[in-house]
Amino acid sequence: MKYIFDFDDVLFNNTAQFKVHMFSILAEAGVPEKSARAHYLEVREKEFSLRNFIQTLFTKYNLRYSVDVVYQQIMEQTPNFLNTELVELIKKIGKENCYLVTNGDQEFNNDKVKYSGTSDLFKKIYIVPGTKKEVIRKICEENKTEEILFLEDKQKFIDDLEIEKHPNLRTILYTGQNLEPYFQ
Ligand SMILES: [Mg+2]
């Protein structure tokens, strides 16, 4: 059995913890939370780059620290926002059986994985713009004889998979349910 994990809101508590922390660090640096949230709503639909986000706010407000310092302050807390139960399950099933397929800006997502200490949990890490379809097709083809489980919190990334083409692929819409039964 192989496993494909999404990062944000599956392995990493992005909405419930990371974003709250991000806005709080930005507020300490001098950006009122309301303004930061309003700007976030404008840019989040595209591939979100935290560095560009801070940079833009930096030009509007007199930030107390440099862009690099604020970026660092936000990123260094990422190990505290992991879904620890899931991380333990991944360690149990082993790196050889796990893939990470996440969507979005390269630098930011690379850093999130690196800073959070999860780089070594996976056989391969894919950060893709747009759809996850191609990468998941590739993983399914490389592991034809095995069952593959894809864990994802966003329905849209499940819907566009052409699942009928991959008889060995099973998807789970992750909403925080207990996953232990799937990791036996
Ligand atoms: Mg997600």
Side-chain angles (χ1 to χ4, degrees):
M1 180 93 119
K2 302 287 185 210
Y3 297 83
I4 304 172
F5 297 90
D6 170 40
F7 196 67
D8 285 344
D9 294 333
V10 174
L11 205 56
F12 183 71
N13 300 325
N14 195 58
T15 309
Q17 294 188 297
F18 177 73
K19 275 190 211 162
V20 174
H21 163 71
M22 175 179 88
F23 289 121
S24 121
I25 293 288
L26 285 166
E28 276 172 38
V31 187
E33 182 162 344
K34 228 178 147 181
S35 312
R37 282 188 182 272
H39 182 56
Y40 181 74
L41 289 178
E42 285 168 27
V43 296
R44 69 167 178 181
E45 289 309 323
K46 296 183 204 110
E47 284 168 25
F48 179 75
S49 154
L50 179 61
R51 199 177 290 280
N52 293 348
F53 185 63
I54 302 168
Q55 187 75 57
T56 310
L57 294 169
F58 200 83
T59 59
K60 288 187 188 168
Y61 298 89
N62 247 337
L63 294 200
R64 291 189 189 100
Y65 316 105
S66 71
V67 173
D68 278 343
V69 166
V70 175
Y71 187 81
Q72 187 66 29
Q73 283 175 342
I74 292 173
M75 296 307 284
E76 68 190 10
Q77 290 297 319
T78 50
N80 300 324
F81 309 140
L82 289 171
N83 181 339
T84 48
E85 280 173 31
L86 202 47
V87 169
E88 286 313 308
L89 287 175
I90 293 176
K91 285 181 182 165
K92 217 169 81 181
I93 55 176
K95 174 178 180 151
E96 277 306 296
N97 300 313
C98 298
Y99 296 85
L100 182 71
V101 179
T102 186
N103 167 271
D105 176 75
Q106 282 289 336
E107 185 210 15
F108 177 46
N109 282 281
N110 226 336
D111 277 355
K112 266 204 280 192
V113 173
K114 197 175 79 186
Y115 279 77
S116 66
T118 49
S119 319
D120 285 339
L121 295 178
F122 305 98
K123 185 177 182 182
K124 268 188 188 165
I125 294 171
Y126 296 95
I127 299 167
V128 294
T131 177
K132 297 184 174 182
K133 186 163 75 176
E134 289 311 315
V135 158
I136 290 180
R137 182 185 54 76
K138 190 171 163 280
I139 298 170
C140 288
E141 283 174 7
E142 283 171 1
N143 298 281
K144 266 189 177 141
T145 59
E146 293 200 58
E147 196 180 352
I148 295 162
L149 201 62
F150 172 41
L151 285 152
E152 168 64 57
D153 72 298
K154 281 193 178 150
Q155 187 68 48
K156 67 171 183 180
F157 289 119
I158 292 177
D159 286 346
D160 79 342
L161 286 180
E162 297 177 314
I163 206 151
E164 67 285 354
K165 291 187 183 165
H166 311 296
N168 57 337
L169 178 66
R170 207 149 53 108
T171 61
I172 294 178
L173 183 68
Y174 183 65
T175 54
Q177 69 269 47
N178 177 19
L179 292 170
E180 218 151 329
Y182 298 100
F183 287 76
Q184 299 306 321

